[in-house]
Amino acid sequence: MPIAGEERPLRSPAAPQQVRAPPAPLGKPKLRFSGRIPGAAVGLSDGINTQKPSLMADSLEQHLPPPPISKSDAAFLEDGVEFVWGAEGVDVAELNNLFEKVGFPRRDPARLAMALQNTYRTVWVRAARKSRLARQGALLGFARATSDGALSAVIWDVAVAPAWQRGGLGRALMERLTASLVNDGISTITLYAEPNVVALYEKLGFVADPDGIRGVAYQSKLARQLQMTNGRRR
């Protein structure tokens, strides 16, 4: 599927800074895109595996099938929404507001802007025209992926404004972002999901805890305590 635009070139800072992906949420299922949409081939999982060398050799000749696009861009445009590729044009304050509306933590604006600059692929949805639900150009949905550009990618921050949920935008974002990664030849695509949306991702070809592999994340004891406390409050 052709991509409407590529990410803008990164600046060369005088002192390179390390930008970390968001920490893997504790207690959230890890899913991997398998391409297992009826009749499709199965991808290769990531992780430590005694059979991985031979699996890797086999995978060199295999490619994941991209997920089908269930609703075209033209059809969404008729509904008043439009897909945009790349982080250019994303307002950090508006993105933080979207995160807050869907229950995600707000991010430090400067670090969020840096994260967007260093993201491998970004796709977002904006209102193509003014309506009773949104002003023209308003941010309605968002998703991004970090990647080495060759072997693996992780999808982060999939969010759709509450007033626009249940209209297929979340599915559409995932279909397009996953397809673009698959079309780049990336064979291991993972994400961490809220338990209540795992079923949606499974319909898109993702599998939960593939091959018994579970993710681990480095987090301080205080960060874990805060995360567990916040989880209990919800």
Side-chain angles (χ1 to χ4, degrees), residues 11-12 21 26 75-76 88 94 107 148 178 203 227:
R11 299 177 182 175
S12 299
L26 296 177
F76 273 110
E88 187 172 359
E94 191 174 15
R107 321 285 169 76
D148 54 24
T178 305
K203 291 178 182 178
Q227 192 167 22

Side-chain angles (χ1 to χ4, degrees), residues 28-97:
K28 292 185 181 180
K30 180 182 180 182
L31 296 94
R32 171 180 55 83
F33 180 67
S34 67
R36 225 175 270 163
I37 300 169
V42 178
L44 178 70
S45 65
D46 194 13
I48 299 174
N49 190 319
T50 56
Q51 296 180 322
K52 191 167 182 179
S54 61
L55 292 174
M56 285 294 291
D58 293 341
S59 72
L60 294 176
E61 303 301 324
Q62 299 176 5
H63 296 283
L64 287 172
I69 304 301
S70 56
K71 185 175 178 178
S72 70
D73 287 14
F76 273 110
L77 192 58
E78 290 180 1
D79 293 338
V81 298
E82 142 179 61
F83 293 89
V84 184
W85 291 91
E88 187 172 359
V90 175
D91 181 271
V92 170
E94 191 174 15
L95 181 57
N96 256 333
N97 289 339

Side-chain angles (χ1 to χ4, degrees), residues 19 47 63 78 85 93 107 109 117 151 196 201-202 222 234:
V19 179
H63 296 283
E78 290 180 1
W85 291 91
R107 321 285 169 76
Q117 277 192 332
L151 299 176
N196 62 324
Y201 292 125
E202 289 177 335
L222 176 60
R234 291 181 184 177

